[in-house]
Amino acid sequence: MTAVTEALVERVRRRLAADAVAPSPENVARALRAEPGVLGPDTVLAIVDRVRRDTGGAGALEPLLALPGVTDVLVNGPDAVHVDRGHGLEPADVRFLDEAEVRRLAQRLAALAGRRLDDASPWVDARLPDGTRLHAVLAPIAQPGTVLSLRVPSRLSLGLDDLVAAGSLTAAGADVLRGVVASRAAFMVSGGTGSGKTTLLAALLAEVPAQERLVVVEDAAELRPRHPHVVALEARPPNVEGRGAVDLRDLVRQALRMRPDRLVVGEVRGAEVVDLLAALNTGHEGGCGTIHANSASDVPARFEALALTAGLPREALHAQLAAGLDLVVHVRRDHEGRRSVDHVGVVRSGPDRLVDCVPALLLGPGGLREGPGHDELRAVLGRGGVR
């Protein structure tokens, strides 16, 4: 009986590729006839499984991506695979044979996204055809081997009531956030990586009246609000020749010409901050987006860092923030992986004309608690006719 070795699998894979046929049991058996030794049905099926895993979908990671509630699948070399199902990272019962198998998977996924991944271009950030976000870095740049990060798009579009049922938000907090949307206040959702910013923003957009038009600009399509009138614009990376890129700044400018009732930037992470603030200061009420920050009070500093990369002076940035942005809704993720809406902050300009974000309302499980910016929050909502 011939053992299933990596060399044997590689020879079969090459024969199938040369014949341009699918790795079916019949085709694998035909390719194996050229091999010495007696091959039993178990050997043929084992090789079929290996070749299919190497040539279709996400290979060995496919079952993990299909798990209910999974948000991330992470590969740190051939011997360490982890998943996140909303409660922090947990090890998965999946192993790769060696570094070469991980590398092949990374390169195949990159090719599915129309991107190049090799020694000359050893990392990639792309979106797969099913919407999964792919980030990969090849070894030896990454240690202990090729690293894969797969962010699974949400299969469900949650509303505020769903977040209340999940314990991420209280009913009273949901009423406050509905008031934020109804007031047409300009707001950002802040939080760390994986804290649920996109989920919350989609739930808030579902509260926008049905007669309003949402134009959503994203680096990678993730927002799926329950709303009947959504126009989505998605950025595009350069092709293998380094051409054809469409960045978020271009898309924000196009969105402004598409008669948006609400301009939404899925994640503010670069020079598009300049065009977003310009829009918020020229009559585009109710604009919103997400931004990485450890707390609402850190949001002005984050905006400042992004604006400097676009050449916007600090004074101009703070002036536009003060005039265009009203509120920040902060979400957090605790050490056990639980996500929750933490607090709402108001944007306040100080005597030095620099902007601070002051806590206005704490939305924790203990009930609503007023912060130092509560009266300003009441005023912002009152301008929109919300009590």
Side-chain angles (χ1 to χ4, degrees):
M1 184 75 67
T2 301
V4 178
T5 64
E6 181 61 28
L8 175 60
V9 173
E10 182 61 27
R11 290 195 298 271
V12 171
R13 187 186 297 115
R14 289 178 179 175
R15 290 191 180 99
L16 295 176
D19 295 338
V21 295
S24 66
E26 296 81 5
N27 291 331
V28 169
R30 190 178 301 114
L32 285 171
R33 291 194 186 106
E35 295 293 325
V38 179
L39 299 174
D42 291 343
T43 302
V44 175
L45 292 176
I47 294 177
V48 169
D49 181 66
R50 278 290 315 282
V51 175
R52 280 181 173 172
R53 193 173 73 179
D54 284 353
T55 58
L61 303 181
E62 199 71 42
L64 301 181
L65 294 173
L67 287 174
V70 69
T71 60
D72 297 88
V73 175
L74 308 175
V75 179
N76 305 332
D79 298 319
V81 180
H82 293 79
V83 297
D84 187 344
R85 289 188 278 188
H87 306 288
L89 294 177
E90 52 187 283
D93 189 22
V94 171
R95 296 291 182 272
F96 293 89
L97 288 179
D98 51 28
E99 163 60 24
E101 187 179 11
V102 185
R103 184 185 180 98
R104 283 196 303 271
L105 174 60
Q107 291 177 318
R108 182 164 51 77
L109 292 177
L112 282 176
R115 303 294 298 277
R116 171 184 173 185
L117 184 63
D118 52 31
D119 290 336
S121 182
W123 55 76
V124 68
D125 186 14
R127 185 169 69 89
L128 301 179
D130 66 354
T132 300
R133 283 291 302 271
L134 163 71
H135 186 270
V137 183
L138 296 180
I141 292 176
Q143 293 294 337
T146 293
V147 172
L148 278 167
S149 303
L150 297 170
R151 168 64 60 87
V152 182
S154 175
R155 298 178 179 88
L156 299 174
S157 181
L158 303 180
L160 290 179
D161 290 337
D162 298 312
L163 297 182
V164 171
S168 298
L169 183 65
T170 65
D175 289 339
V176 172
L177 296 184
R178 289 188 177 95
V180 170
V181 175
S183 70
R184 297 187 63 83
F187 67 91
M188 299 296 296
V189 177
S190 65
T193 300
S195 58
K197 299 185 297 296
T198 300
T199 299
L200 177 60
L201 182 57
L204 292 173
L205 293 176
E207 300 293 328
V208 173
Q211 66 270 22
E212 294 189 21
R213 174 180 171 94
L214 307 179
V215 181
V216 179
V217 176
E218 294 184 90
D219 187 48
E222 292 180 309
L223 279 170
R224 291 174 174 82
R226 298 175 187 169
H227 193 277
H229 198 154
V230 179
V231 176
L233 302 177
E234 184 179 7
R236 184 177 66 194
N239 58 22
V240 291
E241 287 86 23
R243 300 177 180 176
V246 178
D247 61 27
L248 286 183
R249 192 164 191 182
D250 293 329
L251 295 181
V252 171
R253 292 170 181 166
Q254 298 308 311
L256 295 176
R257 298 177 173 90
M258 299 171 68
R259 194 225 170 262
D261 289 303
R262 310 256 183 163
L263 173 63
V264 183
V265 178
E267 182 182 337
V268 179
R269 59 166 62 183
E272 68 277 0
V273 66
V274 175
D275 301 280
L276 173 62
L277 288 175
L280 298 181
N281 279 278
T282 53
H284 292 275
E285 296 181 338
C288 55
T290 74
I291 190 167
H292 276 81
N294 293 327
S295 69
S297 60
D298 291 332
V299 168
R302 178 70 173 148
F303 266 103
E304 191 174 312
L306 295 176
L308 286 174
T309 65
L312 185 65
R314 186 186 190 203
E315 295 78 9
L317 177 276
H318 281 267
Q320 291 206 45
L321 271 179
L325 186 64
D326 298 309
L327 304 171
V328 175
V329 181
H330 187 72
V331 294
R332 64 185 294 270
R333 184 177 185 179
D334 65 21
H335 64 281
E336 295 182 355
R338 291 188 295 261
R339 301 173 175 89
S340 62
V341 185
D342 193 63
H343 63 276
V344 179
V346 294
V347 175
R348 174 192 291 173
S349 185
D352 55 2
R353 297 187 178 180
L354 297 181
V355 163
D356 290 322
C357 190
V358 182
L361 200 63
L362 305 180
L363 306 178
L368 303 182
R369 288 186 293 151
E370 297 180 5
H374 181 262
D375 289 342
E376 290 158 274
L377 173 61
R378 186 189 298 273
V380 168
L381 300 184
R383 289 201 306 265
V386 176
R387 292 184 59 187

